[in-house]
Amino acid sequence: MSRPAAAFVVFAFLFFIVTAGARLEAQSTWPTSGSYANAATDNSAWILPARSYSGNRYVPSAKLGVAGVASLKKAWSTPIDARGPLEVSPIVWHGTMYVTSSHNDVYALDAKTGAVKWHFHYTPHVIAFSANRGVALADGNVVEATLDGHLIALNATTGKVAWNILAAKDPRNTFFTMQPVPYKGMLLLGASNGDWGGVGYISAFNAATGKRLWDWYTVPGPGEPGHNTWSGDSWKRGGAAIWSGVAIDPATDTLYVDAGNPQPDFLGTVRKGANLYSNSMLALDISGSKPKLKWYHQFIPHDTHDWDPAMPPVLFTGTVDGTPRSLVAAGDKGGNFWVLDAATGALVYHVAVSKQRGQQTQPSRAGDIACPNTNGGVEFNGGSYSPVTNMFYVPSTNQCGIWTSPGTAVYVAGQFYLGGAFPKLYGPSTGMMNAIDIGTGKFAWRKSLAFPQIGGALTLSSGLVFTGGVNGDFTAYDAKTGKVLWHYPFGLTIQAPPCYYELGGKPYVAVGAGPAGVNFADPRFGQGAPTLEGTYAHPVRAVITAFTTP
Amino acid sequence: MYTILALLVLALTPIRDDHGSAVAALADVQNAVGEIVRIEDGNDVGRAAFARAANHARSALDAALAHLDTMLDQRATPRWQPAIEGAKVNLLAAEENLTDAAGEHELDDYEYDVTRALANIALAVGRPAQDGALGGLTGALANTDLAVPAGARRVNGCSAPAQTPAYGVSDGQLIYVALPRSGDAAPIPPNLDIRSIAIRGNDVMLYTAHTAACKVQRTREVAAATVVPALYTAAQAHAGIAIYVHHCLQCHGADLQGTAGPAVAGTEFLKTAKFDGWSLEDMRTTVFTNMPFSDPGSLTPTQYADVMAFLLASSCFPAGSKPFPRADQPSFASLKLAPPGGIVPTNRKTGTCAVK
């Protein structure tokens, strides 16, 4: 072969490789800004924590309805790492489901069969308790935020680490449980440091590289408005962490996010004042290089019971008194469900969805009784709104606690900064499934349940509401009447929200179930009595399970 | 319009000048000393004049403390914070002694109180040669980036300056001050603690005691106790097994490496304890007052002591003849948790020792 001919062959070969590579690239496309913007209407996927930027787990679907739900059967159930409770909201894209375990193991599963495509194993240092709420898909990577304060991007096809950064500002008292949210080239992530002496913040990272773009603190520093709502220098360990999910209005680049309880949790005397922006919903303009506060609404000023607004905000257009209004909903562990005007933050109304007693008492040396307990009220998976019924569906928990405080608070790096102790459960521990008529702010129906309800709600336009309880019952209700239409007993606790997708023309509803964990252990249920051999009588399991119709 | 608004915002935004605040605080402290000395040197020996001097000195310290509070009220934790905290505590103590002095009836009592106040003030002023909490205001100004005046050129102290005058800073420490050799524009700043001088081209390099900081990477390691005290009895550790299994195992795991909760013994636990600087007191407080998580304070003091013994034994700390106490011990605060040396764990993977 002459030299020019050889060169041509080499060139042709290289050309083939390049074009073949490009073709491969084209086949494995990943969600674009357009996909995220239209997530609410794409039933083949579930690409944001609560389906769409509105934060509303609502699906317009005719494939699974009131008549057909009785035929819903388990399609597959895949065991995953069971070192702690499952709180994951799955991400589904092009037939693959991405989930995490409490200790940051990541799995890519075949959404049709549950087969494991790849598994990333991780052993993070645990500061206090383990939990993780899932991944974000960004630039062909699966990104998770970890218990040891890292942000880790894995190649979504192979599961290999693409990049790994230390994202927590103080890893002694800060970890991550929140699911990162992709938005216009950024990943939004709040830090879980609210009970360990940190100050809350939400950060934006470059979604492709992990480079930090900005941080926005939830406790105003010296010279900032609201700083005078903290006595002395109590603001420095003020808490107000951002734990839960967010809602975004892409039309105005407005981020709706809730800041958690102030610290020390159970001792108010060392932090006199309203303690802004603890226990508040914040509307932030994130169109620029730094967020700007548009408005805030503080639900419980100067909280001394860790009653933070755990429910992620839900943006929706609901009809109030016959008029459609742009609204945003919130729920707190104090047992309140709140509806605000989305443009101004003004209160439209509030509904008590859990038993409330002694809410003005303060934790004392002898102990005071107040309800709900720290793990009561509305929890971190929240609820959803159906425009078909104009109802909001939100599970809640009835518990009371005895709250104690020695009157002092000592900061020890890496330990709880509480100024007291987490309350002792007092009396019964039960749950409610609530349907609230948005038109009137009154209950449309309520179901009293034997166990706490923290699984979050998924609503289908066909008239179904799915939710799970800590006793492992996964239930489908009639959205109009509250009648139980279908249920599946897992025998494991459900602390994760359900998701919905369609594959091959069939509807799938998937949910995680696993160990009770630190917060929701219940003597009536769980993993059985521990034995002297140091093992559980009942095996610890965690599973991701999908249900479908025949 | 926007320009006016921007200017307004700029005018309303406080600009930090910690160097300026420290210098102002130092001047206020010197004024306080001046008030005290002036009455001693004067001719007025009336009681009211002494009381007035003590009150004036206290007012001057009030002004100094306001500057220190401004410096400390920020989100960051500057290198000079311990020194300024130390100065603050000593000035507060001086104020108390001056308050006593102003109320005394006998000159001897007044002198006694004022002598104590002056001793407190001397500690607050500190010494340039002393770094850290005992350095006081002058120690902070001489050793840390507090030496850098607002608007002055601050450069990486581990490399040579491109332009002078410049302050070389690394990790919050002042490494050098570089001044041009000629010209009166850059006088030698006050309050420095210069250990060596070098000529570099047209510049004079004034080095502090911290040049070694550029060569050695500091670590946050807490030194392991050389002698590990025996803190519990073997019988207690044995009794702690059942308590752990019933009340702790669900969250902390059969191997003590954590499930839903964190690791509580062995390599992972001790690594965290070292990193976070935990004392035995911190561990005891967490166990006795915050645990079990779902029912804190629900065990008896004997049960808590037993479970502490079990955890210490599992981390390979040695048993002894003295039981782990049911009540708090002041000495626990000074015992830092670190891997006990010279003991081979029975489980090399977790770094724990089996308890029998």
Side-chain angles (χ1 to χ4, degrees):
Chain A
M1 198 185 288
S2 69
R3 263 192 200 172
F8 177 75
V9 169
V10 170
F11 174 76
F13 182 65
L14 285 174
F15 181 78
F16 172 77
I17 288 173
V18 169
T19 51
R23 217 175 293 131
L24 195 67
E25 191 68 19
Q27 282 168 353
S28 54
T29 51
W30 302 101
T32 60
S33 290
S35 326
Y36 287 118
N38 298 319
T41 53
D42 181 3
N43 283 2
S44 75
W46 186 284
I47 51 175
L48 287 164
R51 183 172 168 91
S52 71
Y53 284 131
S54 70
N56 191 16
R57 287 193 167 82
Y58 168 77
V59 181
S61 168
K63 288 198 184 291
L64 184 61
V66 172
V69 71
S71 66
L72 206 56
K73 291 274 187 314
K74 189 157 77 178
W76 53 264
S77 189
T78 300
I80 70 166
D81 165 40
R83 284 175 286 174
L86 282 198
E87 298 184 5
V88 61
S89 179
I91 293 294
V92 182
W93 176 252
H94 283 191
T96 302
M97 176 187 288
Y98 303 93
V99 292
T100 56
S101 74
S102 68
H103 280 63
N104 306 125
D105 277 20
V106 186
Y107 297 78
L109 307 176
D110 185 315
K112 195 172 178 186
T113 65
V116 178
K117 294 182 170 181
W118 54 258
H119 168 208
F120 170 76
H121 179 60
Y122 199 57
T123 50
H125 162 61
V126 178
I127 289 182
F129 59 79
S130 60
N132 186 273
R133 288 163 188 167
V135 300
L137 266 181
D139 279 347
N141 292 328
V142 169
V143 187
E144 71 160 342
T146 67
L147 292 173
D148 57 359
H150 282 246
L151 195 59
I152 302 177
L154 308 170
N155 182 301
T157 311
T158 64
K160 301 279 180 249
V161 176
W163 48 261
N164 177 351
I165 61 156
L166 177 63
K169 290 193 157 261
D170 185 352
R172 292 175 189 220
N173 62 20
T174 306
F175 57 102
F176 295 117
T177 53
M178 182 175 153
Q179 189 165 14
V181 177
Y183 184 70
K184 296 189 177 173
M186 299 185 283
L187 285 172
L188 304 173
L189 179 65
S192 303
N193 57 2
D195 302 310
W196 295 268
V199 163
Y201 58 91
I202 184 164
S203 309
F205 299 90
N206 181 308
T209 64
K211 183 174 180 286
R212 187 186 293 275
L213 301 173
W214 50 253
D215 304 301
W216 195 87
Y217 284 91
T218 55
V219 174
E224 293 171 350
H227 184 60
N228 61 357
T229 62
W230 297 86
S231 59
D233 61 359
S234 58
W235 65 277
K236 286 185 175 175
R237 303 210 178 283
I242 291 179
W243 289 89
S244 63
V246 301
I248 303 173
D249 178 1
T252 58
D253 286 322
T254 305
L255 174 71
Y256 297 84
V257 61
D258 288 323
N261 58 287
Q263 295 173 151
D265 298 30
F266 308 120
L267 184 64
T269 52
V270 298
R271 47 170 173 86
K272 295 190 179 78
N275 305 148
L276 290 174
Y277 298 101
S278 69
N279 286 5
S280 299
M281 184 181 286
L282 303 155
L284 300 174
D285 175 352
I286 55 167
S287 60
S289 59
K290 279 263 178 190
K292 291 191 195 102
L293 181 64
K294 292 173 95 164
W295 55 255
Y296 73 91
H297 185 103
Q298 191 174 34
F299 300 114
I300 302 178
H302 192 72
D303 174 24
T304 52
H305 291 87
D306 187 12
W307 281 327
D308 50 10
M311 170 179 146
V314 176
L315 266 178
F316 64 102
T317 303
T319 305
V320 182
D321 293 334
T323 311
R325 289 184 65 174
S326 181
L327 304 168
V328 59
D332 64 41
K333 298 199 297 183
N336 302 295
F337 174 74
W338 307 85
V339 176
L340 309 180
D341 184 299
T344 65
L347 180 68
V348 178
Y349 51 73
H350 124 269
V351 186
V353 291
S354 294
K355 177 179 170 183
Q356 296 180 332
R357 295 277 189 283
Q359 296 215 334
Q360 299 311 315
T361 64
Q362 300 297 318
S364 65
R365 195 174 283 275
D368 285 82
I369 296 168
C371 327
N373 196 14
T374 287
N375 293 317
V378 182
E379 279 291 345
F380 45 86
N381 289 315
S384 65
Y385 168 78
S386 168
V388 177
T389 59
N390 196 37
M391 290 180 200
F392 203 102
Y393 304 91
V394 61
S396 64
T397 293
N398 287 321
Q399 288 182 340
C400 296
I402 303 176
W403 309 70
T404 53
S405 170
T408 56
V410 179
Y411 175 73
V412 176
Q415 289 291 344
F416 282 110
Y417 179 59
L418 302 176
F422 279 105
K424 295 177 187 182
L425 183 65
Y426 176 76
S429 170
T430 61
M432 305 291 294
M433 185 60 192
N434 309 283
I436 294 157
D437 179 350
I438 286 299
T440 60
K442 300 199 182 325
F443 292 112
W445 54 262
R446 296 187 89 186
K447 283 279 168 191
S448 193
L449 299 157
F451 286 84
Q453 300 290 305
I454 56 171
L458 164 74
T459 311
L460 269 55
S461 64
S462 55
L464 294 173
V465 184
F466 286 88
T467 192
V470 300
N471 63 335
D473 278 353
F474 189 50
T475 307
Y477 294 94
D478 183 320
K480 282 197 188 114
T481 64
K483 187 182 171 198
V484 173
L485 299 174
W486 174 87
H487 116 279
Y488 181 88
F490 269 100
L492 297 163
T493 64
I494 301 177
Q495 305 180 34
C499 77
Y500 177 95
Y501 57 95
E502 291 168 5
L503 266 182
K506 283 172 48 160
Y508 288 80
V509 177
V511 72
V518 171
N519 291 313
F520 298 98
D522 190 308
R524 293 168 295 174
F525 180 80
Q527 287 71 42
T531 69
L532 278 171
E533 286 72 44
T535 54
Y536 293 114
H538 190 289
V540 177
R541 286 191 311 125
V543 288
I544 303 289
T545 304
F547 299 89
T548 191
T549 50
Chain B
M1 181 64 190
Y2 286 113
T3 315
I4 295 167
L5 269 178
L7 284 173
L8 195 63
V9 168
L10 267 181
L12 292 175
T13 308
I15 297 165
R16 293 206 71 84
D17 178 9
D18 291 325
H19 171 83
S21 297
V23 170
L26 202 51
D28 289 329
V29 171
Q30 279 151 3
N31 284 341
V33 175
E35 292 286 347
I36 293 165
V37 172
R38 197 175 308 120
I39 194 74
E40 307 266 339
D41 292 347
N43 297 321
D44 190 345
V45 292
R47 182 176 159 264
F50 280 92
R52 198 160 51 242
N55 283 328
H56 284 173
R58 210 184 48 181
S59 300
L61 294 189
D62 273 343
L65 281 164
H67 287 301
L68 301 192
D69 281 339
T70 305
M71 293 168 72
L72 294 169
D73 193 16
Q74 60 171 298
R75 205 179 294 277
T77 305
R79 181 88 190 189
W80 43 257
Q81 192 192 24
I84 300 303
E85 294 274 12
K88 181 180 168 179
V89 168
N90 280 304
L91 290 186
L92 287 169
E95 283 202 333
E96 288 301 307
N97 283 315
L98 288 170
T99 305
D100 290 347
E104 300 294 3
H105 292 272
E106 302 296 332
L107 188 60
D108 276 358
D109 295 335
Y110 171 88
E111 292 291 354
Y112 178 74
D113 294 336
V114 164
T115 304
R116 284 160 53 117
L118 287 171
N120 299 137
I121 289 173
L123 282 170
V125 171
R127 299 188 303 154
Q130 184 107 43
D131 198 5
L134 292 174
L137 276 160
T138 48
L141 280 163
N143 292 289
T144 71
D145 62 353
L146 201 58
V148 188
R153 186 176 295 114
R154 173 195 292 251
V155 297
N156 177 3
C158 295
S159 53
Q163 273 182 294
T164 56
Y167 289 77
V169 170
S170 175
D171 195 19
Q173 283 182 314
L174 182 69
I175 309 293
Y176 61 73
V177 179
L179 300 170
R181 279 170 73 180
S182 57
D184 299 327
I188 297 176
N191 303 316
L192 294 180
D193 179 31
I194 301 305
R195 299 296 174 93
S196 64
I197 299 174
I199 304 294
R200 183 180 161 273
N202 290 324
D203 299 323
V204 184
M205 304 291 290
L206 309 174
Y207 287 105
T208 67
H210 306 295
T211 48
C214 294
K215 294 177 192 146
V216 182
Q217 185 66 40
R218 265 188 309 278
T219 66
R220 294 199 254 193
E221 298 284 299
V222 177
T226 46
V227 179
V228 181
L231 297 159
Y232 63 91
T233 65
Q236 275 186 310
H238 178 76
I241 298 174
I243 297 161
Y244 178 85
V245 167
H246 284 290
H247 299 280
C248 321
L249 184 147
Q250 180 152 358
C251 296
H252 298 293
D255 60 0
L256 294 90
Q257 297 312 294
T259 52
V264 287
T267 309
E268 160 75 4
F269 169 74
L270 291 169
K271 197 175 81 182
T272 308
K274 253 176 102 167
F275 181 67
D276 287 341
W278 290 341
S279 65
L280 183 62
E281 170 68 18
D282 295 332
M283 180 182 173
R284 185 197 173 277
T285 302
T286 302
V287 171
F288 272 64
T289 62
N290 289 352
M291 293 293 132
F293 186 79
S294 56
D295 200 0
S298 60
L299 307 184
T300 66
T302 303
Q303 288 177 311
Y304 277 121
D306 289 350
V307 88
M308 277 295 295
F310 170 70
L311 295 176
L312 290 168
S314 300
S315 279
C316 305
F317 287 94
S321 56
K322 216 172 140 189
F324 191 89
R326 288 180 295 176
D328 201 4
Q329 300 287 308
S331 61
F332 285 177
S334 56
L335 278 174
K336 292 285 180 192
L337 291 175
I343 297 166
V344 180
T346 47
N347 185 332
R348 283 175 183 275
K349 191 175 160 218
T350 58
T352 50
C353 287
V355 179
K356 289 170 187 158

